Every structure is written in C-alpha cells, then in structure tokens.
Amino acid sequence: MKVGIVGAGMVGSSAAFAMVMRGGASRIVLVDLDEKRARAEAEDIGHAVPFGAAVRVDAGGYDDLRGCGVVVLACGVGQKPGETRLQLLGRNAAVFRSVVGEVMRVCPEAILLVASNPVDIMGQITQRLSGLPAGRVIGSGTILDTARFRWLLGRHLGIAPRSVHGYVLGEHGDSEVLAWSAARAGNVSVGSFAAQMGAPITDEVRARIDTGVRRAAYTIIEGKGATWYGIGAGLARIVAAIAADEGAVLTVSVASEVLGVRDVACSLPRVVGAEGVVAELVPELDDSETEALRASAEMLKRTVEAVGM
Ligand code: ADP
C-alpha cells in the first residue's frame, strides 16, 4: 500500500521510520511545506530500508500522493512548553483548510489518518472538510495514551505490555479516561493479576500510573521539546492494520455518538481494517469512568462547536 505523509516534522518522519522498520507500506511519500526538509528526511529514512522492510521512500508534492491508500496528516505547528493541546487548535485549523483540500483533490479514495494536535478536534475538522464518511477519517486519538498505560502497567506487573489490555478513552488530552475497571492482564483483571504477582495496585501505584499516563507529554516536552517516537510507532501500527485488513482493536478517534453525545470525535476501542474503522465498542466501565468519558466527549463537542465547523 502506498502511504502519503503530509508534514515531515518529527511526528511524520518518525511514523515513516517506524513504517520502514515494521513494514505495512510499499511506498511512502513525504510532503512538507519545507521541501528541503522532506527531501532530507526521505533520504535519511531511506538509508534504513536495507535494515528494514522493502519500502520505497520519496519526498514529493501533493500530485505525488495519487494512488495512496492512506494519507497521514502530521503537518502543523508543534505544542509549545506549557501550551495545552486545545490552545494549538486555532493555529492548526488554518493549516488544515488548505492541506485537506489538496489531499482530496489528488486522492479522494484514501483513508485519512490525522496526527496533528489537538487530534480529536483536528480529526473532526478533517472529516468535515473532506466530506468523507466518519470511519475513513481516523485520528490517532489515545493510541499513544493506551500504549503508555499498557507500558506502565506492564512494568509494574513485570510482564510484556502486549499482554496488558487496558484502554485510555475519550480525549487525547487532559480529560482522557483510564479505563481501570476494564483493564486485563492475560485474561484476568489487573487487580487480580497484580495480587497474584505480589505487586498489588495500591492507591499510590494507581495514582503514579495515572499521572504517568496523563502527564507523559508534558514531562517529555519539558525534557526534549516534543514527543515523537511513541506516536510515530502508533501511526505505523494503524497503517499496518489498514494495509493488512487486520481487524485490529485500537483506541482511535472517529466522529460518532458517544454516551449520548452526538457527532463527536474521541477515542473508543475500534476495529480497524482496510475500510478504516468498521466497528466500535464501549468497554464495561464503572459509573465514575462512564461519567468521565461523557464529560470528556461533552468538552470536545463544545470545543468543536466553538470552532464553528
Ligand atoms: P511535530 O512535532 O508535530 O512533528 P514539527 O514542527 O516537527 O511538529 O512538524 C510539523 C511539520 O509540518 C513541519 O515540518 C512543517 O514544515 C510542516 N507544515 C506546516 N504547515 C504545513 C503545510 N501547510 N503543508 C505542509 N506541511 C506543513
């Protein structure tokens, strides 16, 4: 599958690199306002191809995106220290107006994968600008927050994060919901697993993991200015699920009705395959998690309405 990436900054380039290392794409085309940057990234990433999957990596313009099965939108301006994702909104919405038009002109049949923040709002804006069905415009949503949750739980339990099934739902941002009550390790609840391993999830452990997930972006931005490897790998995971028509369950953001909040884009576990998102589920949550998810969806709904799109 040919994959386009608009925005060859740290996130777009890391996604391309991750695709080269894990496979899933046959061709990758990097497009950026800064053409020199796109060319340099394509060449640098191309040098990893002999050690990775058989992918052709090029830089190009919008016309070179013809025939793409997926176009990743990672363009825009990055999050500044102390800036919330929602404050980024105005700056990135302007960029998307022109970019989505260009992409739709050359590949109206592509699935759009939105990575720019605030990703839930940018995804919903993209869906409206493109006119595509909701399931074909996928925001990376909480795929990264879910990875952070699984990683931290895996470390605490002393097991592989891949054996931890816990989801972060709602907004990719401050109002996100860690679905503790539905979290499993193997096929038992994480609480039971932790007790059996002699590593109980005390209030202190739970608070530490919660903060670790919720504050990760802020901490990393403080240390190195931005985050890119985790999200790059997450984007490559979504692309692989589409390319192989996997039916993988991933927490991604798509416009739908969430707990009675209509037409709002936020993350739920969703089934991802060749046609994009084909099904979604609300995990079994306790009352406080359900309320927190509804509040997160309502907040996003208010924000998207405030943008007037
Ligand atoms: P991030 O950390 O989110 O990747 P960067 O600032 O590193 O942020 O990357 C964003 C990229 O998006 C930059 O390379 C920038 O040149 C690019 N970009 C900004 N506006 C546009 C646009 N209108 N079209 C294409 N690329 C754009």
Side-chain angles (χ1 to χ4, degrees):
M1 186 178 71
K2 182 176 172 182
V3 178
I5 300 179
V6 182
M10 295 313 300
V11 170
S13 299
S14 299
F17 178 68
M19 283 176 220
V20 165
M21 298 317 287
R22 75 164 291 146
S26 55
R27 281 195 67 181
I28 297 172
V29 179
L30 294 172
V31 178
D32 199 289
L33 212 51
D34 183 347
E35 293 173 17
K36 199 172 158 196
R37 167 84 189 244
R39 276 198 303 276
E41 291 290 3
E43 186 173 357
D44 194 7
I45 295 162
H47 297 164
V49 169
F51 311 113
V55 190
R56 179 180 161 158
V57 187
D58 296 291
Y62 286 102
D63 285 331
D64 298 304
L65 297 179
R66 275 182 217 287
C68 280
V70 175
V71 176
V72 179
L73 302 179
C75 51
V77 286
Q79 194 171 12
K80 293 179 184 164
E83 187 180 43
T84 67
R85 291 192 182 92
L86 292 180
Q87 286 168 332
L88 270 177
L89 177 55
R91 297 196 291 142
N92 275 336
V95 171
F96 268 53
R97 274 181 215 278
S98 67
V99 168
V100 173
E102 288 290 334
V103 171
M104 292 309 293
R105 178 177 63 79
V106 292
C107 44
E109 69 293 335
I111 289 170
L112 304 183
L113 177 52
V114 180
S116 306
N117 277 316
V119 70
D120 301 290
I121 306 288
M122 297 312 298
Q124 193 151 13
I125 288 175
T126 302
Q127 198 240 322
R128 292 181 185 179
L129 289 170
S130 67
L132 289 169
R136 297 186 71 85
V137 181
I138 304 173
S140 53
T142 56
I143 193 160
L144 176 57
D145 314 80
T146 290
R148 289 167 176 156
F149 190 31
R150 296 170 74 197
W151 178 70
L152 286 168
L153 275 170
R155 278 166 74 109
H156 177 74
L157 300 172
I159 61 170
R162 283 188 184 211
S163 296
V164 178
H165 309 288
Y167 297 124
V168 178
L169 310 174
E171 181 203 11
H172 171 55
D174 298 339
S175 74
E176 68 193 20
V177 181
L178 279 68
W180 279 98
S181 64
R184 296 277 179 281
N187 76 339
V188 300
S189 72
V190 287
S192 166
F193 195 100
Q196 291 180 51
M197 298 293 276
I201 297 181
T202 59
D203 289 349
E204 186 270 327
V205 168
R206 186 174 160 137
R208 183 165 46 75
I209 292 177
D210 196 276
T211 305
V213 172
R214 224 173 266 290
R215 301 296 302 170
Y218 294 100
T219 314
I220 297 170
I221 288 169
E222 221 174 280
K224 57 181 254 187
T227 73
W228 53 82
Y229 293 121
I231 186 58
L235 291 165
R237 177 72 194 88
I238 298 167
V239 167
I242 296 168
D245 194 15
E246 278 184 46
V249 178
L250 304 169
T251 50
V252 291
S253 182
V254 162
S256 70
E257 180 170 334
V258 178
L259 298 175
V261 185
R262 287 216 197 134
D263 192 26
V264 65
C266 68
S267 288
L268 293 175
R270 292 190 163 101
V271 180
V272 181
E275 297 303 319
V277 166
V278 294
E280 68 181 29
L281 59 139
V282 180
E284 290 155 352
L285 303 174
D286 67 22
D287 290 349
S288 69
E289 292 163 347
T290 301
E291 264 329 295
L293 177 57
R294 184 177 292 117
S296 186
E298 282 169 349
M299 187 280 293
L300 285 165
K301 177 78 180 177
R302 282 195 301 277
T303 308
V304 88
E305 278 173 358
V307 188
M309 303 223 22

